[in-house]
């Protein structure tokens, strides 16, 4: 399949039996917001599709449980940092469960890898890619001036002259970033450089280096907000140590807005994923993310939520029709698929995850199924239903056209029809309520 690579600004083919993927995880100092869910669902969609094709995926993700934001939150709430991280890690894991996410093969809190980070940073110092100033260790950007900035298409001189970096006297260059921070504030760890804690930008590169044994991975993903400086700084550290790219393909998704406004705590319009899922079915958010090419910005509006609800209702209504059809008619069900529908699905997905075209394919398939029902042409009916359900499942949506009818439900529906014909409407209404609750009426 083809995926757009941020570094080369070109679509790249990926055709392997085993694919290694890394995705940046959350900093667990608060509930994640629905913008954080976009890269999560994007990777889940990609991985589900790859695995549906029989491809083995090795998926690694980090958890940032050491960070200044965590320390500040602990001080504000008069709690320990561990109390903060335990609370929000639990919430994050519940979010993944509620979204029905295919869990990473490894989900690693960075606090478990302090010794490994210490050794990694020590290697960079030995290679003269980093330098120690009284216990603070910085990466030396100037040593890699030909490479730094390529991922984000930024020039070092422009960044400095644009005052986009903090000036610090300890640094050789204003752009040099911290990979070990000397501090006494919050939790600290021992290292070759003294007490302190690791820099955020070294977490992900260390985990990739260790888990994938120094090899270039196939796909590195994250939101566009991480492209610079986080991913830029990851990439340059890996190049410094190994002389090669950290990832063959960089996949970045676009920003999320709510009713046309970028989410911001200062604006008070940040919606947590926990709150969203308390009010809406998880399929709503998945469907919304599928409507737009993942690299493009996406605006979540009441209208888009309503469109998602209508799509789900179409599937539920079709399920009712099919159950009634099966009760009233003897129709053979096949387990086979409409090969043309599945072929089109694969073509769209392999073309850089063109999920908006997939949704159009689903709508067209729904129309075709309803036409067959209206014309009472049932020969290809279940081929199309099976294909529809297969695509919904591969996309991670929990809805489907339910074609199972128990013997009790079968008899109850026929009993209801008989009672309606006998005009015992009070009894019919009682049974009707039961049939509605069972998704048959």
């Amino acid at each position: 399949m083809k995926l757009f690579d941020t570094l080369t600004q070109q679509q790249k083919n990926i055709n392997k039996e085993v694919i290694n993927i890394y995705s940046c995880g959350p900093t667990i100092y608060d509930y994640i917001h629905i913008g954080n869910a976009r890269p999560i669902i994007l990777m889940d969609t990609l991985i589900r599709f790859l695995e549906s094709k029989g491809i083995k995926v090795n998926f690694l993700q980090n958890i940032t449980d050491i960070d200044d934001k965590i320390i500040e939150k602990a001080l504000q709430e008069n709690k320990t940092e561990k109390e903060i991280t335990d609370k929000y890690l639990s919430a994050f894991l519940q979010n993944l469960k509620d979204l029905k996410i295919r869990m990473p093969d490894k989900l690693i809190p960075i606090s478990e890898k302090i010794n490994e980070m210490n050794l990694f940073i020590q290697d960079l110092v030995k290679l003269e890619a980093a330098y120690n100033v009284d216990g603070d260790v910085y990466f030396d950007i100037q040593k890699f001036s030909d490479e730094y900035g390529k991922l984000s298409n930024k020039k070092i001189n422009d960044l400095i002259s644009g005052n986009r970096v903090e000036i610090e006297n300890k640094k050789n260059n204003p752009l040099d970033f911290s990979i070990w921070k000397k501090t006494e504030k919050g939790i600290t760890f021992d290292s070759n450089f003294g007490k302190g804690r690791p820099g955020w930008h070294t977490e992900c590169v260390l985990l990739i280096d260790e888990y994938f044994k120094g090899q270039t991975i196939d796909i590195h993903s994250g939101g566009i907000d991480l492209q610079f400086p986080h991913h830029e700084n990851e990439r340059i550290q890996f190049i410094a140590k190994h002389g090669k790219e950290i990832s063959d393909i960089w996949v970045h998704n676009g920003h999320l807005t709510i009713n046309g406004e970028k989410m911001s705590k200062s604006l008070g319009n940040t919606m947590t994923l926990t709150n969203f899922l308390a009010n809406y079915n998880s399929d709503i958010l998945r469907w919304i993310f599928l409507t737009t090419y993942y690299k493009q910005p996406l605006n979540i509006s009441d209208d888009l939520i309503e469109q998602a609800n209508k799509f789900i209702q179409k599937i539920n209504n079709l399920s009712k029709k099919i159950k009634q059809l099966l009760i009233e008619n003897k129709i053979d069900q096949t387990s086979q698929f409409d090969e043309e529908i599945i072929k089109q699905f694969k073509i769209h997905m392999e073309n850089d995850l063109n999920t908006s075209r997939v949704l159009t394919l689903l709508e067209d398939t729904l129309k075709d199924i309803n036409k067959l029902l209206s014309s009472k042409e049932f020969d290809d009916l279940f081929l199309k239903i099976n294909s529809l359900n297969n695509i919904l499942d591969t996309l991670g949506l929990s809805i489907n056209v339910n074609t199972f009818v128990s013997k009790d439900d079968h008899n109850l529906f026929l009993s209801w029809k008989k009672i309606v014909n006998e005009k015992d409407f009070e009894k019919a209404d009682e049974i009707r309520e039961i049939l509605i609750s069972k998704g048959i009426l």
Side-chain angles (χ1 to χ4, degrees):
M1 68 181 297
K2 294 184 293 185
L3 289 171
F4 186 87
D5 172 38
T6 306
L7 179 63
T8 61
Q9 290 292 292
Q10 294 178 345
Q11 286 191 348
K12 280 189 172 182
N13 285 311
I14 183 165
N15 183 22
K16 302 173 73 174
E17 294 182 358
V18 178
I19 294 179
N20 296 325
I21 299 177
Y22 183 84
S23 188
C24 293
T27 301
I28 46 176
Y29 73 102
D30 206 342
Y31 298 106
I32 67 170
H33 56 71
I34 54 174
N36 302 134
R38 195 177 188 190
I40 292 170
I41 291 179
L42 170 61
M43 279 302 101
D44 191 62
T45 304
L46 173 61
I47 290 169
R48 284 173 176 273
F49 177 65
L50 292 172
E51 291 183 333
S52 75
K53 296 173 62 178
I55 294 168
K56 178 174 173 52
V57 175
N58 296 316
F59 181 35
L60 174 66
Q61 190 171 46
N62 77 309
I63 294 288
T64 298
D65 59 346
I66 303 168
D67 191 83
D68 289 345
K69 293 177 181 177
I70 295 170
I71 295 168
E72 292 301 325
K73 191 68 171 274
L75 291 171
Q76 288 171 16
E77 299 190 5
N78 195 27
K79 293 180 179 178
T80 66
E81 288 152 65
K82 190 173 189 309
E83 286 176 320
I84 296 295
T85 56
D86 282 351
K87 175 182 177 179
Y88 293 113
L89 176 58
S90 176
F92 173 66
L93 294 176
Q94 186 61 50
N95 288 157
L96 297 185
K97 182 178 179 181
D98 292 342
L99 286 171
K100 301 170 182 64
I101 297 296
R102 184 273 203 199
M103 288 295 290
D105 298 286
K106 283 285 185 181
L107 184 64
I108 303 177
I110 201 59
S111 61
E112 296 177 3
K113 296 293 179 181
I114 298 299
N115 185 55
E116 291 83 355
M117 290 187 73
N118 174 38
L119 295 175
F120 183 89
I121 294 167
Q122 189 177 352
D123 285 342
L124 293 180
V125 172
K126 287 179 180 177
L127 291 166
E128 297 183 350
Y131 55 95
N132 177 8
V133 183
D134 299 326
D136 281 304
V137 184
Y138 301 97
F139 189 89
D140 194 342
I141 289 296
Q142 208 59 47
K143 296 277 181 68
F144 302 90
S145 57
D146 290 342
E147 284 295 335
Y148 191 75
K150 283 186 177 180
L151 179 62
S152 50
N153 193 29
K154 298 178 184 295
K155 298 185 187 304
I156 291 178
N157 290 339
D158 292 343
L159 286 171
I160 295 173
S161 62
N163 293 321
R164 301 186 66 175
V165 291
E166 231 178 86
I167 303 300
E168 191 174 321
N169 293 333
K170 284 185 174 183
K171 297 180 181 182
N172 294 343
N173 185 306
L175 285 177
D176 292 349
F177 56 90
S178 173
I179 57 179
W180 185 267
K181 182 177 182 178
K182 178 183 177 181
T183 182
E184 295 179 357
K185 186 179 180 181
I187 191 169
T188 59
F189 305 90
D190 293 323
S191 77
N192 292 61
F193 322 102
K195 277 194 171 293
R197 59 180 179 272
W200 176 43
H201 302 307
T202 305
E203 289 182 26
C204 298
V205 64
L206 175 276
L207 292 180
I208 292 170
D209 188 33
E210 181 188 48
Y211 188 76
F212 297 109
K213 304 185 187 311
Q215 297 304 306
T216 299
I217 61 173
D218 300 296
I219 298 168
H220 193 313
S221 71
I224 193 67
D225 54 307
L226 296 180
Q227 184 179 347
F228 184 88
H230 185 52
H231 288 166
E232 193 73 70
N233 292 348
E234 275 186 61
R235 173 180 176 263
I236 206 66
Q237 289 174 84
F238 195 85
I239 288 174
K241 184 174 180 184
H242 295 290
K244 58 186 177 184
E245 292 291 344
I246 191 172
S247 182
D248 186 49
I249 299 174
W250 288 88
V251 174
H252 290 105
N253 61 270
H255 285 297
L256 199 70
T257 55
I258 297 180
N259 293 319
E261 286 188 323
K262 184 178 178 181
M263 284 188 295
S264 165
K265 288 185 178 180
S266 61
L267 292 174
N269 69 343
T270 299
M271 181 182 289
T272 69
L273 182 55
T274 297
N275 285 343
F276 187 92
L277 294 175
N279 290 284
Y280 302 104
N281 186 299
S282 64
D283 285 340
I284 297 284
L285 195 59
R286 276 193 182 265
W287 187 90
I288 287 172
F289 287 155
L290 294 170
T291 60
T292 304
Y293 178 45
Y294 68 87
K295 289 190 69 61
Q296 296 300 317
L298 174 61
N299 180 48
I300 294 184
S301 62
D302 292 339
D303 179 61
L304 198 54
I305 291 172
E306 181 58 28
Q307 288 180 48
N309 270 316
K310 286 180 179 177
F311 177 79
I312 292 171
Q313 194 59 50
K314 286 179 187 177
I315 301 295
N316 291 335
N317 288 340
L318 181 56
S319 288
K320 296 173 187 178
K321 289 182 185 178
I322 296 301
K323 286 182 178 182
Q324 293 173 32
L325 175 71
L326 291 171
I327 291 170
E328 297 183 304
N329 300 271
K330 288 186 177 180
I331 300 174
D332 292 330
Q333 293 189 53
T334 178
S335 60
Q336 296 181 334
F337 302 108
D338 183 317
E339 294 300 332
E340 183 58 29
I341 294 174
I342 299 300
K343 177 185 174 184
Q344 289 302 312
F345 170 59
K346 289 180 179 178
I347 287 172
H348 297 324
M349 292 293 283
E350 288 169 355
N351 183 24
D352 201 13
L353 295 175
N354 194 341
T355 54
S356 60
R357 290 293 301 274
V358 171
L359 290 187
T360 300
L361 175 65
L362 290 176
E363 292 283 0
D364 290 343
T365 303
L366 280 169
K367 289 177 185 176
D368 290 343
I369 290 170
N370 282 307
K371 284 179 183 177
L372 292 175
L373 288 172
S374 298
S375 62
K376 300 186 185 305
E377 297 175 14
F378 304 138
D379 289 349
D380 295 333
L381 180 64
F382 285 95
L383 291 174
K384 293 186 183 298
I385 290 173
N386 293 343
S387 302
L388 180 73
N389 283 343
N390 176 265
I391 294 171
L392 292 170
D393 181 61
T394 303
L395 293 173
L397 293 159
S398 61
I399 50 172
N400 60 40
V401 180
N402 191 336
T403 61
F404 174 75
V405 180
S406 70
K407 186 175 181 179
D408 288 345
D409 290 348
H410 180 277
N411 293 336
L412 186 65
F413 180 81
L414 294 180
S415 171
W416 172 73
K417 295 273 285 189
K418 182 173 179 293
I419 291 170
V420 169
N421 288 333
E422 292 171 352
K423 299 187 178 180
D424 184 353
F425 298 121
E426 185 175 346
K427 180 66 174 175
D429 285 346
E430 291 177 11
I431 298 175
R432 181 174 179 275
E433 290 301 314
I434 298 171
L435 291 169
I436 288 172
S437 71
K438 288 174 172 288
I440 298 173
L441 282 180

